[in-house]
Amino acid sequence: MRETPEELDKLQSLLVSSLSGSTAHLRSIVEGRTITAAQLTGMCTLALSTVTAKGEPRISGADGHFLHGRWHFGTARNAAKARHLTVRPAASVAYMRGEDLGVFTHGTVEELNPEDAETTADWQELLAYLKDFYGDDAFDWNREVVYYRLNPHWMTVYAPDLDKLTGT
């Protein structure tokens, strides 16, 4: 786990406020069937939703790394989703593991390693993690791939049977 206590507190507050501000329908499904911020971790394949210039939704897959209480994901610099996010940084992601777990997030992305600008302050730490995960020479990390962090304004988790998730 890479989250600090402050990051976990902020994420837990977001989970609580997102659910309390949701529709009665969603609350009836999720309340009592969720997990805490501290139980979210790791890498999984996300369904990433972006929007075209015509306002049409597009969905695609991306490796999602849950680090420091937020999703991080990458793609090729010339991918359609990269073009969408450059102009319209609003995005939604969903991770679903059958009927056992659903993590749903809406927010705004920030580009972590722009090609022609300064990287974010934490890019080197994230890059070290990614190289450890994928391998040092998996990509041309400066020119081939672009990474994003989704800064959430809404997030909820559905986990109806915690024992199934933890194997207990």
Side-chain angles (χ1 to χ4, degrees), residues 62-164:
D63 286 359
H65 298 267
F66 199 76
L67 305 164
H68 298 291
R70 295 178 284 180
W71 289 112
H72 296 74
F73 59 89
T75 191
R77 287 194 184 276
N78 62 354
K81 63 184 131 195
R83 290 191 313 272
H84 296 168
L85 292 170
T86 295
V87 181
R88 292 166 300 283
S92 294
V93 299
Y95 170 66
M96 293 180 283
R97 189 185 319 153
E99 295 181 1
D100 297 329
L101 178 64
V103 182
F104 308 95
T105 311
H106 308 304
T108 304
V109 299
E110 70 178 294
E111 189 174 333
L112 303 176
N113 62 328
E115 194 168 26
D116 298 321
E118 288 292 314
T119 60
T120 60
D122 62 342
W123 171 244
Q124 291 305 314
E125 175 191 347
L126 180 61
L127 182 59
Y129 163 86
L130 293 168
K131 284 182 174 182
D132 185 54
F133 190 89
Y134 293 109
D136 255 358
D137 56 357
F139 309 103
D140 177 339
W141 293 96
N142 295 318
R143 289 184 294 239
E144 190 176 339
V145 294
V146 57
Y147 269 83
Y148 300 94
R149 174 179 18 250
L150 182 62
N151 295 308
H153 59 78
W154 186 91
M155 184 175 191
T156 195
V157 179
Y158 174 71
D161 187 351
L162 186 57
D163 291 341
K164 274 183 153 179

Side-chain angles (χ1 to χ4, degrees), residues 10-11 20 30-31 33 38 40-42 47 50-51 56 72 82 92 100 109 112 115-116 129 139 151 156 168:
K10 184 177 178 181
L11 178 58
S20 68
V30 174
E31 283 180 336
R33 298 176 193 95
L40 288 170
T41 187
T50 61
V51 181
E56 299 168 331
H72 296 74
S92 294
D100 297 329
V109 299
L112 303 176
E115 194 168 26
D116 298 321
Y129 163 86
F139 309 103
N151 295 308
T156 195
T168 59

